[in-house]
Amino acid sequence: MTRGAALAAAVTATVALSFPFGFLRAAVAVVMFAAILTFGVRFMRSIVHAPPPEPEVADVGDYGLRYVCSMCGLELKIEKAARDRAPTHCMEPMVLVREGGRPPLRPV
Ligand SMILES: [Zn+2]
């Protein structure tokens, strides 16, 4: 919608609403509608166009990190990690079992 068409629509809405509600209340309502609509559209556009931040992935394959699920016995060897939280399996956090490898420089 062009700026002129938006202004014409705002004037029309103000005139139409001023009969039942009075000019001042109609004008305030139209201005509030336009402000909230503009803010909402900009906010939604910023959400859609902003890409999610890239996780900082570290290669930890040499550390020999192994996690075991205490419920079903599944064992995972961690090659890359982006956070220092244990993975979960069977709705439970997995238990860290470090075998061989060199210890990590920072907790992973
Ligand atoms: Zn499991």
Side-chain angles (χ1 to χ4, degrees), residues 69-74 89-90:
C69 176
S70 56
M71 302 293 281
C72 70
L74 174 80
H89 198 257
C90 299

Side-chain angles (χ1 to χ4, degrees), residues 34-99:
I36 293 171
L37 181 71
T38 305
F39 176 79
V41 166
R42 281 190 189 156
F43 182 70
M44 293 305 285
R45 277 193 187 145
S46 74
I47 286 179
V48 168
H49 291 295
E54 283 286 318
E56 204 173 301
V57 178
D59 195 336
V60 294
D62 295 339
Y63 300 155
L65 297 176
R66 288 174 191 273
Y67 283 91
V68 174
C69 176
S70 56
M71 302 293 281
C72 70
L74 174 80
E75 185 171 321
L76 290 181
K77 181 178 187 297
I78 305 299
E79 296 288 340
K80 290 184 176 177
R83 54 186 186 168
D84 59 348
R85 221 182 328 157
T88 55
H89 198 257
C90 299
M91 308 287 282
E92 293 285 330
M94 300 179 80
V95 179
L96 176 63
V97 202
R98 191 175 292 142
E99 289 178 10

